Amino acid sequence: MTEENHPLIAGRYRLVERIGQGGMGRVWRGLDQQLFGREVAIKEILFPPGMNEADREALLRRFTGEARAAVTLSHPGVITVHDVVEHRGAPVIVMELIRGRSLAAEIRDHGRLPVRRVAEIGAAVLDALTEAHAARIVHRDIKPDNVLLARDRVVLTDFGIAHLADATTKLSHSGIVIGTPQYMPPEQLDGKRPTPANDLWALGATLYHAVEGRPPFEAEGLHALAVAVFTRPHRPSVHAGPLAPLLDALLTKDPAERVGAAEAAETLRAVLSAAPSPTGPGREAEPGGAPGPVPAPGTKAAPRPDAPVEPSSAPTTPERAPSSTPSVPTPTVPDPSGGVVGAARHRVPDRPTAPPVVAAPDEQPPTLDATAPSEPDGRTSRGPRGLTRRSAVLGTVLAVLATGSLLTWSLTRDDDPRGGGAGGSGSAASSVTVRIGVDAPLSGGLASMGTGIRNSAELAVRTANETGHVPGVTFELTALDDGADPSKGAVNATRFVSDDKLVGVVGPLNSGVARTLVPVLSRAGVVNVSPGNTDPALTLGPDWATGTRARPYSTYFRTVGTDADQGPFAARYLHGAGKTKIYVVDDASPHGTAVASGLTAAWKRLGGTVVGTERVDPAERDFAGLALRVRSSEAEAVYFGGYYDTAAPLSQQLKQAGVTVPLMGGDGIFDQAYLTGNPRADGDLATQIGAPAEESAAGRDFLARYEKAGYAQPPGWYGPYAYDATWALIEAVKDLAKSNGGTLPGDTRAKLPRAVEHLAFDGVTGPVAFDGGDAVDRRLTVYQVDDGSWQARTTGSSAP
């Protein structure tokens, strides 16, 4: 409609000027002729193109009913709806005219906002949502465009497309998705019945965008974006600081595990009470005294017009990381001490991979507390939840807000009822209890690996206690479940840090979890030795691939090699097998680009020829064109940097196209699922970090002791490395006691990282020593698919 053709709507509303346009509607500034020319905002709803008449009528009825229900809301944080009318078969909403600008415009013009300002906005929107949810109204389209920043209030708008929680009318047959995919939770994308939990996810995505300057999920195309939301963890935050744990809790994929409104409000209050309202360089005072947004680097703060605005329904244009660079785009995480780990363009399941586990409605969701005693078969009993989500999120927030020394750690002698510190005094015969933490996936798809890690660490502790390896010291083990979920890393780290008997942590298995767990442990000075993380950025810094290497966490170590080792090792193996021409493909993930770029560089140094390179979307499953290009290139091998779920169909389609050369990858494809999803995998190759325990006498002895201990779950590939990681902490405690006259110093926790740094001992996996956090002895194994199973072919050092 236009001002000229439709001067009056419903006989009373005159259009003045168009002030907004989006995918779902147009917004006009208008005048209410029956109320003395009061200014109003008039929103005309646009039906999706191609909708048939029946669906148009059904959508109109539902829309009008829901919008009229929104009229009943009365809250300063909810835009006031004056009227809902129909004009020429389309709904029109008449609402108050807000003079201000949308949060989307604020981010677009000024860049990311300060943490305090985002917390203020979040608290205001959450208060408005609480009012709406009490009225059984679910908004369903919370995003920066629909949050208005006025002079003295934050206003949530566009309740016109909200959904009544008890509505029975559905349009699922039409395929219509109401909402903006970048801010929609998995269950909403899946077409499930809307609940308040939908809005909490969208609020988390909106606040993430505001504080980080970009949405938590980005992908090229709606399908790839949906895949990312369903299967990938969100991009770890860099600038959120104390808000990061809350964002993780709001962006939890399982709505049953998502943080509730009351807990989220309490967390926001904690952030606001702890953070002052500063102004200074880079901050512009908001009307009303709130700090303004921080301009993006290299930009000039735009003027702040006091113009009427009602935001459109168009999503904010996302930033896109370049896809042509060969550098490794590692996900970014906050480091409270100042370090960060780079940014990822594509998120893929962390190695080892598994889809997220969502509890069925009648199942008890996985508990955050995995310290329950182990049952005889090696499983963790699932009792009452030992840590509420509120205390977990608030605990993490307080950990991030704390400065300097988060907690003063002291050892407790078992014969001292007062719990005094050991301090270097007292008898060496007094038993001092020290605790070692284990972080591993004890539930979900990787529980078998995580249980093997926990059992192996427990075996090391039992061995030390039974042999009296450290006189006067009794070791205990505390295991926490991370479910292979990066959002739980910081929560578990906070719990470890708060344990005044804990000296160090073994784990985690996944690099994704490490990116959230390691910074919190590092800030508190807690040593961490992992048996499974292979992301080079954890020890070499975010720019390692470009030659700039700087260790970001002085307390972090690992007993395995890294992705930087796998590519060169694979190159030497293929070259030694007589291959001279290779085609290189990667999936743009941090793991995929790391192993592919490492192979390419080493291959060229060996004199080999790269006859083609290609980058594929990990969500893609049609590689017919790529297979033809590989066949015409006369490549003698294909190297794939990525994961088994993409590699399996690629390998199968290569064979179908007549490409008979082997496909080789890193440990991302070394998985049984690669074989079950690819019946033509024979001859394909993969590198795996480490060496089989059966190949050495020490490894065979470990396996025998593990079996004798009666664990039902095998140790798995990472069990021996977890044993050595635990033994490294035990040896470091022993060295500290020895250098302190037979007793542990009161600052054992603070001194332990340096003690681990200087260790050298023979472990069950071979010599154990560290160089800048990485293992000195970094061996790898090449496996080949033979008659449908992985068979070890050769083991060697990562060094040429």
Side-chain angles (χ1 to χ4, degrees), residues 16 63 70 101 124 153 274 359 367 423 478 501 525 638 694 703 718 760 769 792:
V16 177
F63 185 94
R101 65 203 323 254
R153 53 195 279 227
T367 177
T478 295
K501 288 187 178 183
V638 175
E694 297 84 355
L703 294 175
Y718 299 96

Side-chain angles (χ1 to χ4, degrees), residues 599-608 610:
L599 172 125
T600 300
W603 186 254
K604 291 178 179 178
R605 286 195 299 270
L606 291 169
V610 177

